[in-house]
Amino acid sequence: MTNLTAPASACCALLPLPDCAGRAWARRAIALLQGDARRSADTHLIKPVFGGLTGIDIYLKDESTHPTGSLKHRLARSLVLYGICNGHIGETTTLVEASSGSTAVSEAYFARLLNLPFIAVMPRTTSPQKIREIERFGGRCHFVEKSSEVYAAAQAIAEETGGHYLDQFTNAERATDWRGNNNIAESIFAQMEGEAHPVPDWVVMSAGTGGTSATIGRYIRYRNLATRLCVVDVEHSVFYDSYCSGDREVTCTQGSGIEGIGRPRVEPSFLPRVIDHMIRIPDAASIAAMQILSDLIFRRVGGSTGTNFFGLCWVASEMRKAGREGSLVSVICDSGARYTDTYYNDAWLDAKGYDLAPWKRALETFLEGGDLVLP
C-alpha cells in the first residue's frame, strides 16, 4: 500500500508576504469611482404638467444630467467597480465593451478617469455624436456591420489585448446593488416621498440590457411595494416575444431602430419574472413621443425616452379608462443632443420611411384630455 502521508516539510509554503501593489492600485481606483458617485449620486425627478391628465401625476427621472449624459453612467460605474472588485481589472487592463453607444460613452469616461485604454465595439450605424463623445474621452471605436456581431467581436478583442470584456448584457443585473446603495429605484422612491401619490401605480421602463428593469423590479419586491413594472419593447427586438412565450432562445436578424434599447437576442440580464406587464410599440411611435415630450419640457430627449413616454401614456390611458387616480414614473434616458443627425432630422426620417404625423396627433389628443387612439 502506498503511503499518502507527505512529510510535514512538504506541506509548508511559508513564502514572504507580498507587497500587494495590485491591491493598492485597486484601492486608489475605487476611491476615484466613489468620488464620482458622491458628486453625481442623484438626478432630478421632474413633474411635467399635462392638463388632460387630471388625477394622474406624471414623473420623469432625468438621467440625462449625469456627467456622461445618460442613464448608462450608473451602469458603467457599476460595471467597472464589479470588474475591479472581482480582480479582472488592474492598472494596465484594456477595457472592452459591446455597445450601441451610450454605455460606451460612460465607460470611456471612467476608463479615462482610471487612465485605462478603452475599446467600444458597436454597429456602424451608431449615431456620429456618440462616436465623437467616446473618442473625446479617449476611447477607440471598433465597428461591426450587424448588432448581433458585437458580442463575439468584443470578446475576441478582449482576448487579443489581454483586456477585460465588461459585458454589460450579462453583468448589468448583477453588477448593480438592487437592494439599495442609491440605485435608480431607491432614488426614485425616496424622491417620491411627500408627493400626493408617493407609491407609484406603475414604473414604465424600456429594456436594452434589461439591467435597469431588473433593478427596479427587484427593488419593488424587496421593499414590498404595491407598484408594478411595465416594460416597453420596440420593433426588431426579442424581449417582448420572449416575455410572452417564455422562450429565451428567440432571436431577431434585424437591429433595433431605437438606439440603446431592443436587442436581437434575449440578454442574460433580462429578468422577465420581475416584470408585471410588457407592451411593444412601433419605432414611429417612439420617435413621435420623443418629439412631443421634447416640446412639452422645452429640451430635447432621446429615442428611448420617447419609447418610455409612449408606454407611460398608454398606461395612463388605461388608468383613466378604469377611473383610477395615482402616479406614474418613467425615465429620461439621455439627451436628444446625441440624435440631431437622426431622430431630429426630417430628411433622415423621410429616408427611413417614418410617418410620425398620426402618432403625434394621437398623443396630442390624449394629452389634451381625449382617448389614446392608436393609428
Side-chain angles (χ1 to χ4, degrees):
M1 178 180 293
T2 303
N3 185 357
L4 299 180
T5 303
S9 59
C11 297
C12 292
L14 302 179
L15 302 176
L17 292 173
D19 60 11
C20 297
R23 283 292 310 283
W25 177 86
R27 292 184 70 242
R28 292 193 299 272
I30 290 171
L32 289 171
L33 295 173
Q34 289 172 336
D36 175 87
R38 286 190 296 271
R39 292 187 298 272
S40 60
D42 218 344
T43 55
H44 292 126
L45 186 68
I46 66 175
K47 185 185 179 185
V49 176
F50 303 109
L53 292 181
T54 304
I56 299 177
D57 296 329
I58 302 298
Y59 298 85
L60 298 169
K61 181 72 166 162
D62 188 2
E63 294 290 284
S64 72
T65 59
H66 281 296
T68 53
S70 84
L71 168 70
K72 299 300 185 179
H73 192 85
R74 294 178 189 267
L75 172 60
R77 185 172 56 232
S78 294
L79 289 168
V80 175
L81 273 170
Y82 187 72
I84 293 171
C85 293
N86 280 285
H88 301 308
I89 298 175
E91 190 169 4
T92 61
T93 305
T94 297
L95 306 183
V96 184
E97 183 61 283
S99 171
S100 61
S102 288
T103 303
V105 172
S106 299
E107 289 169 338
Y109 166 91
F110 286 111
R112 189 178 73 168
L113 183 67
L114 302 179
N115 197 30
L116 298 175
F118 177 72
I119 302 171
V121 180
M122 59 181 60
R124 197 171 296 279
T125 54
T126 300
S127 70
Q129 289 97 328
K130 289 182 180 178
I131 295 168
R132 287 194 292 270
E133 289 182 39
I134 292 165
E135 293 174 343
R136 180 165 60 87
F137 285 127
R140 180 163 65 87
C141 298
H142 176 92
F143 299 103
V144 296
E145 298 304 320
K146 299 179 181 179
S147 59
S148 59
E149 297 172 348
V150 295
Y151 315 99
Q155 184 64 56
I157 290 172
E159 291 173 358
E160 289 167 8
T161 61
H164 173 59
Y165 176 24
L166 292 159
D167 196 1
Q168 60 168 323
F169 298 109
T170 296
N171 293 323
E173 59 88 7
R174 61 196 66 171
T176 299
D177 184 354
W178 52 267
R179 294 176 184 85
N181 196 21
N182 198 46
N183 66 41
I184 188 171
E186 183 180 52
S187 177
I188 286 171
F189 285 96
Q191 290 174 319
M192 285 294 294
E193 293 177 2
E195 298 297 319
H197 305 284
V199 178
D201 277 45
W202 291 86
V203 174
V204 179
M205 187 66 214
S206 51
T209 62
T212 301
S213 62
T215 297
I216 294 171
R218 286 165 159 174
Y219 185 82
I220 287 169
R221 284 158 174 75
Y222 177 65
R223 289 285 308 278
N224 196 26
L225 299 167
T227 304
R228 289 156 291 176
L229 172 64
C230 177
V231 172
V232 189
D233 203 14
V234 292
E235 292 182 64
H236 311 301
S237 174
V238 299
F239 290 136
Y240 178 80
D241 294 326
S242 176
Y243 179 82
C244 293
S245 68
D247 181 5
R248 293 191 68 93
E249 302 303 318
V250 61
T251 59
C252 178
T253 56
Q254 186 171 344
S256 169
I258 306 299
E259 281 192 31
I261 58 174
R263 298 303 304 162
R265 71 175 194 183
V266 183
E267 303 298 350
S269 285
F270 178 68
L271 304 182
R273 292 187 179 180
V274 304
I275 297 169
D276 296 292
H277 188 59
M278 279 197 74
I279 61 174
R280 179 162 59 192
I281 64 171
D283 290 348
S286 293
I287 300 170
M290 171 199 76
Q291 294 190 4
I292 291 288
L293 179 61
S294 294
D295 289 342
L296 291 170
I297 64 174
F298 308 108
R299 56 195 174 87
R300 287 181 169 182
V301 299
S304 56
T305 302
T307 303
N308 291 348
F309 185 59
F310 190 93
L312 185 149
C313 288
W314 182 84
V315 173
S317 74
E318 294 297 297
M319 288 178 62
R320 193 163 66 184
K321 287 177 187 176
R324 291 180 58 88
E325 296 186 350
S327 59
L328 300 174
V329 179
S330 193
V331 175
I332 296 175
C333 299
D334 64 359
S335 166
R338 292 177 172 173
Y339 309 100
T340 303
D341 297 336
T342 54
Y343 303 138
Y344 289 99
N345 183 325
D346 290 339
W348 185 89
L349 293 170
D350 289 342
K352 293 290 184 180
Y354 290 125
D355 183 8
L356 307 188
W359 294 100
K360 283 189 171 184
R361 285 195 297 270
L363 285 167
E364 287 167 347
T365 299
F366 170 71
L367 293 171
E368 291 170 358
D371 293 333
L372 181 58
V373 180
L374 305 186

Short mmCIF file of all heavy atoms in Angstrom, two decimals, residues 231-279:
data_model
loop_
_atom_site.label_atom_id
_atom_site.label_comp_id
_atom_site.label_asym_id
_atom_site.label_seq_id
_atom_site.Cartn_x
_atom_site.Cartn_y
_atom_site.Cartn_z
N VAL A 231 -42.67 47.10 -18.81
CA VAL A 231 -41.51 47.25 -19.69
C VAL A 231 -42.00 47.40 -21.12
O VAL A 231 -42.84 46.63 -21.58
CB VAL A 231 -40.55 46.05 -19.55
CG1 VAL A 231 -39.45 46.12 -20.61
CG2 VAL A 231 -39.92 46.04 -18.16
N VAL A 232 -41.47 48.41 -21.81
CA VAL A 232 -41.86 48.71 -23.19
C VAL A 232 -40.75 48.24 -24.13
O VAL A 232 -39.59 48.61 -23.97
CB VAL A 232 -42.08 50.22 -23.38
CG1 VAL A 232 -42.70 50.49 -24.75
CG2 VAL A 232 -42.96 50.79 -22.28
N ASP A 233 -41.13 47.43 -25.11
CA ASP A 233 -40.18 46.95 -26.10
C ASP A 233 -40.46 47.63 -27.44
O ASP A 233 -41.49 48.28 -27.62
CB ASP A 233 -40.28 45.43 -26.24
CG ASP A 233 -39.00 44.80 -26.81
OD1 ASP A 233 -37.97 45.49 -26.83
OD2 ASP A 233 -39.05 43.63 -27.23
N VAL A 234 -39.53 47.49 -28.36
CA VAL A 234 -39.61 48.16 -29.66
C VAL A 234 -39.57 47.14 -30.79
O VAL A 234 -39.40 45.94 -30.57
CB VAL A 234 -38.44 49.16 -29.81
CG1 VAL A 234 -38.60 50.32 -28.85
CG2 VAL A 234 -37.09 48.47 -29.59
N GLU A 235 -39.74 47.63 -32.01
CA GLU A 235 -39.64 46.76 -33.18
C GLU A 235 -38.25 46.13 -33.27
O GLU A 235 -37.27 46.70 -32.80
CB GLU A 235 -39.88 47.57 -34.45
CG GLU A 235 -41.28 48.10 -34.64
CD GLU A 235 -41.41 48.84 -35.96
OE1 GLU A 235 -41.26 48.19 -37.02
OE2 GLU A 235 -41.65 50.06 -35.93
N HIS A 236 -38.19 44.97 -33.90
CA HIS A 236 -36.92 44.28 -34.13
C HIS A 236 -36.16 44.05 -32.83
O HIS A 236 -34.95 44.27 -32.73
CB HIS A 236 -36.06 45.05 -35.14
CG HIS A 236 -36.80 45.45 -36.37
ND1 HIS A 236 -37.40 44.52 -37.19
CD2 HIS A 236 -37.08 46.67 -36.91
CE1 HIS A 236 -38.01 45.15 -38.20
NE2 HIS A 236 -37.83 46.45 -38.04
N SER A 237 -36.91 43.63 -31.83
CA SER A 237 -36.34 43.27 -30.53
C SER A 237 -37.07 42.04 -30.02
O SER A 237 -38.27 41.88 -30.28
CB SER A 237 -36.51 44.43 -29.53
OG SER A 237 -36.10 44.03 -28.24
N VAL A 238 -36.37 41.20 -29.31
CA VAL A 238 -36.96 39.90 -28.92
C VAL A 238 -37.48 39.86 -27.49
O VAL A 238 -38.05 38.85 -27.08
CB VAL A 238 -35.91 38.78 -29.10
CG1 VAL A 238 -35.48 38.67 -30.55
CG2 VAL A 238 -34.69 39.02 -28.21
N PHE A 239 -37.30 40.93 -26.72
CA PHE A 239 -37.71 40.88 -25.31
C PHE A 239 -39.20 40.59 -25.16
O PHE A 239 -39.60 39.77 -24.33
CB PHE A 239 -37.35 42.19 -24.61
CG PHE A 239 -35.88 42.41 -24.41
CD1 PHE A 239 -35.31 43.65 -24.66
CD2 PHE A 239 -35.06 41.40 -23.95
CE1 PHE A 239 -33.96 43.87 -24.47
CE2 PHE A 239 -33.71 41.61 -23.75
CZ PHE A 239 -33.16 42.86 -24.01
N TYR A 240 -40.03 41.28 -25.92
CA TYR A 240 -41.48 41.09 -25.80
C TYR A 240 -41.88 39.66 -26.17
O TYR A 240 -42.67 39.02 -25.47
CB TYR A 240 -42.22 42.09 -26.68
CG TYR A 240 -43.72 41.93 -26.66
CD1 TYR A 240 -44.48 42.44 -25.61
CD2 TYR A 240 -44.39 41.25 -27.68
CE1 TYR A 240 -45.87 42.28 -25.58
CE2 TYR A 240 -45.76 41.08 -27.66
CZ TYR A 240 -46.49 41.61 -26.61
OH TYR A 240 -47.86 41.43 -26.58
N ASP A 241 -41.34 39.16 -27.27
CA ASP A 241 -41.66 37.79 -27.70
C ASP A 241 -41.24 36.78 -26.65
O ASP A 241 -41.96 35.81 -26.37
CB ASP A 241 -40.97 37.48 -29.03
CG ASP A 241 -41.51 38.32 -30.17
OD1 ASP A 241 -42.72 38.64 -30.16
OD2 ASP A 241 -40.72 38.68 -31.07
N SER A 242 -40.06 37.00 -26.06
CA SER A 242 -39.59 36.07 -25.03
C SER A 242 -40.47 36.13 -23.80
O SER A 242 -40.78 35.10 -23.19
CB SER A 242 -38.14 36.40 -24.67
OG SER A 242 -37.68 35.59 -23.61
N TYR A 243 -40.87 37.35 -23.41
CA TYR A 243 -41.75 37.51 -22.24
C TYR A 243 -43.06 36.76 -22.43
O TYR A 243 -43.55 36.10 -21.50
CB TYR A 243 -42.00 39.00 -22.02
CG TYR A 243 -42.92 39.31 -20.86
CD1 TYR A 243 -42.44 39.35 -19.55
CD2 TYR A 243 -44.27 39.59 -21.07
CE1 TYR A 243 -43.27 39.65 -18.49
CE2 TYR A 243 -45.11 39.89 -20.00
CZ TYR A 243 -44.61 39.92 -18.72
OH TYR A 243 -45.45 40.21 -17.67
N CYS A 244 -43.63 36.85 -23.63
CA CYS A 244 -44.92 36.22 -23.89
C CYS A 244 -44.81 34.71 -24.02
O CYS A 244 -45.71 33.97 -23.57
CB CYS A 244 -45.55 36.80 -25.16
SG CYS A 244 -46.04 38.53 -25.02
N SER A 245 -43.73 34.24 -24.63
CA SER A 245 -43.61 32.80 -24.93
C SER A 245 -42.83 32.02 -23.88
O SER A 245 -42.96 30.81 -23.78
CB SER A 245 -42.93 32.61 -26.28
OG SER A 245 -41.57 33.03 -26.22
N GLY A 246 -41.98 32.72 -23.11
CA GLY A 246 -41.09 32.04 -22.17
C GLY A 246 -39.85 31.47 -22.83
O GLY A 246 -39.03 30.83 -22.18
N ASP A 247 -39.68 31.72 -24.13
CA ASP A 247 -38.55 31.18 -24.88
C ASP A 247 -37.39 32.18 -24.85
O ASP A 247 -37.48 33.27 -25.42
CB ASP A 247 -38.98 30.92 -26.33
CG ASP A 247 -37.87 30.34 -27.18
OD1 ASP A 247 -36.79 30.03 -26.64
OD2 ASP A 247 -38.09 30.19 -28.41
N ARG A 248 -36.29 31.82 -24.22
CA ARG A 248 -35.13 32.70 -24.13
C ARG A 248 -34.18 32.52 -25.31
O ARG A 248 -33.15 33.19 -25.39
CB ARG A 248 -34.37 32.48 -22.83
CG ARG A 248 -35.13 32.91 -21.58
CD ARG A 248 -34.22 32.93 -20.35
NE ARG A 248 -33.22 33.97 -20.43
CZ ARG A 248 -33.36 35.21 -19.93
NH1 ARG A 248 -34.48 35.55 -19.31
NH2 ARG A 248 -32.38 36.10 -20.03
N GLU A 249 -34.50 31.62 -26.23
CA GLU A 249 -33.63 31.37 -27.38
C GLU A 249 -34.07 32.12 -28.63
O GLU A 249 -33.41 32.05 -29.66
CB GLU A 249 -33.58 29.87 -27.67
CG GLU A 249 -33.12 29.01 -26.52
CD GLU A 249 -31.74 29.41 -26.01
OE1 GLU A 249 -30.86 29.69 -26.86
OE2 GLU A 249 -31.54 29.48 -24.78
N VAL A 250 -35.18 32.85 -28.56
CA VAL A 250 -35.68 33.56 -29.72
C VAL A 250 -34.68 34.64 -30.15
O VAL A 250 -34.03 35.26 -29.30
CB VAL A 250 -37.07 34.17 -29.43
CG1 VAL A 250 -37.00 35.18 -28.29
CG2 VAL A 250 -37.65 34.82 -30.68
N THR A 251 -34.52 34.83 -31.45
CA THR A 251 -33.57 35.82 -31.97
C THR A 251 -34.23 36.64 -33.08
O THR A 251 -35.29 36.28 -33.59
CB THR A 251 -32.30 35.16 -32.54
OG1 THR A 251 -32.67 34.27 -33.59
CG2 THR A 251 -31.55 34.40 -31.46
N CYS A 252 -33.57 37.74 -33.43
CA CYS A 252 -34.04 38.62 -34.49
C CYS A 252 -32.83 39.01 -35.33
O CYS A 252 -31.78 39.35 -34.78
CB CYS A 252 -34.72 39.85 -33.90
SG CYS A 252 -35.30 41.05 -35.13
N THR A 253 -32.96 38.98 -36.64
CA THR A 253 -31.81 39.25 -37.51
C THR A 253 -31.61 40.73 -37.77
O THR A 253 -30.52 41.16 -38.14
CB THR A 253 -31.97 38.54 -38.86
OG1 THR A 253 -33.21 38.95 -39.47
CG2 THR A 253 -31.98 37.02 -38.66
N GLN A 254 -32.64 41.56 -37.54
CA GLN A 254 -32.54 42.99 -37.81
C GLN A 254 -32.36 43.76 -36.51
O GLN A 254 -32.99 43.45 -35.50
CB GLN A 254 -33.81 43.48 -38.53
CG GLN A 254 -33.75 44.93 -38.98
CD GLN A 254 -34.91 45.31 -39.87
OE1 GLN A 254 -35.61 44.43 -40.38
NE2 GLN A 254 -35.14 46.59 -40.06
N GLY A 255 -31.50 44.77 -36.54
CA GLY A 255 -31.24 45.55 -35.34
C GLY A 255 -32.34 46.55 -35.04
O GLY A 255 -33.11 46.95 -35.93
N SER A 256 -32.43 46.97 -33.78
CA SER A 256 -33.45 47.93 -33.35
C SER A 256 -33.20 49.30 -33.98
O SER A 256 -32.05 49.73 -34.14
CB SER A 256 -33.44 48.06 -31.82
OG SER A 256 -34.23 49.15 -31.40
N GLY A 257 -34.29 49.99 -34.32
CA GLY A 257 -34.19 51.33 -34.86
C GLY A 257 -34.09 52.40 -33.78
O GLY A 257 -33.86 53.57 -34.09
N ILE A 258 -34.27 52.02 -32.52
CA ILE A 258 -34.19 52.96 -31.41
C ILE A 258 -32.91 52.66 -30.64
O ILE A 258 -32.81 51.66 -29.94
CB ILE A 258 -35.42 52.86 -30.48
CG1 ILE A 258 -36.71 53.02 -31.28
CG2 ILE A 258 -35.33 53.92 -29.38
CD1 ILE A 258 -36.86 54.35 -32.01
N GLU A 259 -31.93 53.54 -30.78
CA GLU A 259 -30.61 53.27 -30.19
C GLU A 259 -30.69 53.11 -28.68
O GLU A 259 -31.39 53.84 -27.99
CB GLU A 259 -29.65 54.42 -30.51
CG GLU A 259 -29.08 54.37 -31.90
CD GLU A 259 -27.93 55.34 -32.08
OE1 GLU A 259 -27.20 55.60 -31.10
OE2 GLU A 259 -27.75 55.84 -33.20
N GLY A 260 -29.97 52.10 -28.20
CA GLY A 260 -29.84 51.90 -26.76
C GLY A 260 -30.82 50.91 -26.18
O GLY A 260 -30.62 50.44 -25.06
N ILE A 261 -31.90 50.59 -26.90
CA ILE A 261 -32.88 49.62 -26.39
C ILE A 261 -33.24 48.64 -27.49
O ILE A 261 -32.99 48.88 -28.67
CB ILE A 261 -34.14 50.31 -25.83
CG1 ILE A 261 -34.80 51.18 -26.91
CG2 ILE A 261 -33.80 51.13 -24.60
CD1 ILE A 261 -36.13 51.77 -26.47
N GLY A 262 -33.88 47.53 -27.07
CA GLY A 262 -34.19 46.48 -28.02
C GLY A 262 -32.94 45.68 -28.35
O GLY A 262 -31.85 46.25 -28.47
N ARG A 263 -33.07 44.38 -28.43
CA ARG A 263 -31.91 43.54 -28.71
C ARG A 263 -32.28 42.40 -29.66
O ARG A 263 -33.43 41.96 -29.70
CB ARG A 263 -31.36 42.92 -27.41
CG ARG A 263 -30.86 43.90 -26.38
CD ARG A 263 -29.77 44.81 -26.91
NE ARG A 263 -28.63 44.05 -27.44
CZ ARG A 263 -27.71 44.58 -28.26
NH1 ARG A 263 -27.81 45.83 -28.66
NH2 ARG A 263 -26.71 43.85 -28.68
N PRO A 264 -31.29 41.89 -30.43
CA PRO A 264 -31.55 40.79 -31.35
C PRO A 264 -31.56 39.42 -30.66
O PRO A 264 -31.89 38.41 -31.28
CB PRO A 264 -30.40 40.88 -32.34
CG PRO A 264 -29.27 41.47 -31.54
CD PRO A 264 -29.94 42.44 -30.59
N ARG A 265 -31.17 39.38 -29.39
CA ARG A 265 -31.23 38.14 -28.62
C ARG A 265 -31.70 38.50 -27.21
O ARG A 265 -31.69 39.67 -26.81
CB ARG A 265 -29.85 37.48 -28.54
CG ARG A 265 -28.87 38.22 -27.66
CD ARG A 265 -27.54 37.50 -27.48
NE ARG A 265 -26.79 38.09 -26.37
CZ ARG A 265 -25.57 37.73 -26.01
NH1 ARG A 265 -24.95 36.77 -26.67
NH2 ARG A 265 -24.97 38.31 -24.97
N VAL A 266 -32.12 37.49 -26.44
CA VAL A 266 -32.55 37.72 -25.07
C VAL A 266 -31.29 37.79 -24.20
O VAL A 266 -30.59 36.79 -24.02
CB VAL A 266 -33.49 36.60 -24.57
CG1 VAL A 266 -33.96 36.90 -23.16
CG2 VAL A 266 -34.67 36.45 -25.51
N GLU A 267 -31.02 38.97 -23.69
CA GLU A 267 -29.78 39.16 -22.92
C GLU A 267 -29.89 38.50 -21.55
O GLU A 267 -30.97 38.44 -20.96
CB GLU A 267 -29.49 40.65 -22.76
CG GLU A 267 -29.39 41.42 -24.07
CD GLU A 267 -28.25 40.93 -24.96
OE1 GLU A 267 -27.42 40.13 -24.51
OE2 GLU A 267 -28.22 41.36 -26.13
N PRO A 268 -28.75 37.99 -21.02
CA PRO A 268 -28.78 37.35 -19.70
C PRO A 268 -29.32 38.24 -18.60
O PRO A 268 -29.88 37.75 -17.61
CB PRO A 268 -27.30 37.00 -19.46
CG PRO A 268 -26.72 36.85 -20.83
CD PRO A 268 -27.43 37.86 -21.68
N SER A 269 -29.16 39.57 -18.74
CA SER A 269 -29.62 40.49 -17.69
C SER A 269 -31.12 40.76 -17.74
O SER A 269 -31.65 41.42 -16.86
CB SER A 269 -28.87 41.83 -17.78
OG SER A 269 -27.55 41.68 -17.29
N PHE A 270 -31.81 40.28 -18.77
CA PHE A 270 -33.25 40.47 -18.86
C PHE A 270 -33.96 39.44 -17.99
O PHE A 270 -33.83 38.23 -18.21
CB PHE A 270 -33.70 40.31 -20.32
CG PHE A 270 -35.19 40.44 -20.52
CD1 PHE A 270 -35.83 41.65 -20.33
CD2 PHE A 270 -35.93 39.34 -20.90
CE1 PHE A 270 -37.20 41.76 -20.53
CE2 PHE A 270 -37.31 39.44 -21.11
CZ PHE A 270 -37.93 40.66 -20.92
N LEU A 271 -34.67 39.91 -16.96
CA LEU A 271 -35.31 39.02 -15.98
C LEU A 271 -36.83 39.18 -16.07
O LEU A 271 -37.41 40.03 -15.39
CB LEU A 271 -34.81 39.34 -14.58
CG LEU A 271 -33.30 39.28 -14.34
CD1 LEU A 271 -32.98 39.58 -12.88
CD2 LEU A 271 -32.73 37.94 -14.76
N PRO A 272 -37.50 38.39 -16.87
CA PRO A 272 -38.95 38.58 -17.10
C PRO A 272 -39.79 38.37 -15.85
O PRO A 272 -40.88 38.94 -15.74
CB PRO A 272 -39.28 37.56 -18.18
CG PRO A 272 -38.19 36.54 -18.10
CD PRO A 272 -36.97 37.28 -17.68
N ARG A 273 -39.33 37.60 -14.89
CA ARG A 273 -40.17 37.29 -13.73
C ARG A 273 -40.29 38.43 -12.74
O ARG A 273 -41.10 38.35 -11.81
CB ARG A 273 -39.65 36.02 -13.04
CG ARG A 273 -39.83 34.78 -13.90
CD ARG A 273 -39.48 33.52 -13.16
NE ARG A 273 -39.68 32.33 -13.99
CZ ARG A 273 -39.46 31.09 -13.60
NH1 ARG A 273 -39.01 30.86 -12.36
NH2 ARG A 273 -39.67 30.07 -14.41
N VAL A 274 -39.51 39.50 -12.91
CA VAL A 274 -39.70 40.67 -12.05
C VAL A 274 -40.51 41.76 -12.77
O VAL A 274 -40.65 42.87 -12.27
CB VAL A 274 -38.35 41.24 -11.56
CG1 VAL A 274 -37.55 40.17 -10.85
CG2 VAL A 274 -37.55 41.86 -12.69
N ILE A 275 -41.03 41.43 -13.96
CA ILE A 275 -41.82 42.36 -14.76
C ILE A 275 -43.29 41.98 -14.62
O ILE A 275 -43.65 40.81 -14.66
CB ILE A 275 -41.39 42.29 -16.24
CG1 ILE A 275 -39.93 42.73 -16.38
CG2 ILE A 275 -42.31 43.14 -17.12
CD1 ILE A 275 -39.34 42.44 -17.74
N ASP A 276 -44.15 42.99 -14.46
CA ASP A 276 -45.58 42.74 -14.30
C ASP A 276 -46.34 42.80 -15.61
O ASP A 276 -47.40 42.18 -15.75
CB ASP A 276 -46.19 43.76 -13.32
CG ASP A 276 -45.60 43.61 -11.93
OD1 ASP A 276 -45.87 42.58 -11.28
OD2 ASP A 276 -44.87 44.51 -11.49
N HIS A 277 -45.84 43.57 -16.58
CA HIS A 277 -46.52 43.67 -17.87
C HIS A 277 -45.53 44.17 -18.91
O HIS A 277 -44.59 44.91 -18.58
CB HIS A 277 -47.71 44.64 -17.77
CG HIS A 277 -48.57 44.65 -18.99
ND1 HIS A 277 -49.22 43.52 -19.47
CD2 HIS A 277 -48.91 45.66 -19.86
CE1 HIS A 277 -49.91 43.83 -20.55
NE2 HIS A 277 -49.74 45.12 -20.81
N MET A 278 -45.73 43.76 -20.17
CA MET A 278 -44.92 44.27 -21.27
C MET A 278 -45.83 44.70 -22.42
O MET A 278 -46.88 44.09 -22.64
CB MET A 278 -43.92 43.21 -21.77
CG MET A 278 -42.67 43.10 -20.94
SD MET A 278 -41.31 42.23 -21.80
CE MET A 278 -40.76 43.49 -22.98
N ILE A 279 -45.39 45.73 -23.13
CA ILE A 279 -46.02 46.11 -24.39
C ILE A 279 -44.91 46.33 -25.42
O ILE A 279 -43.74 46.50 -25.05
CB ILE A 279 -46.89 47.37 -24.25
CG1 ILE A 279 -46.05 48.57 -23.81
CG2 ILE A 279 -48.04 47.15 -23.28
CD1 ILE A 279 -46.81 49.88 -23.80
#
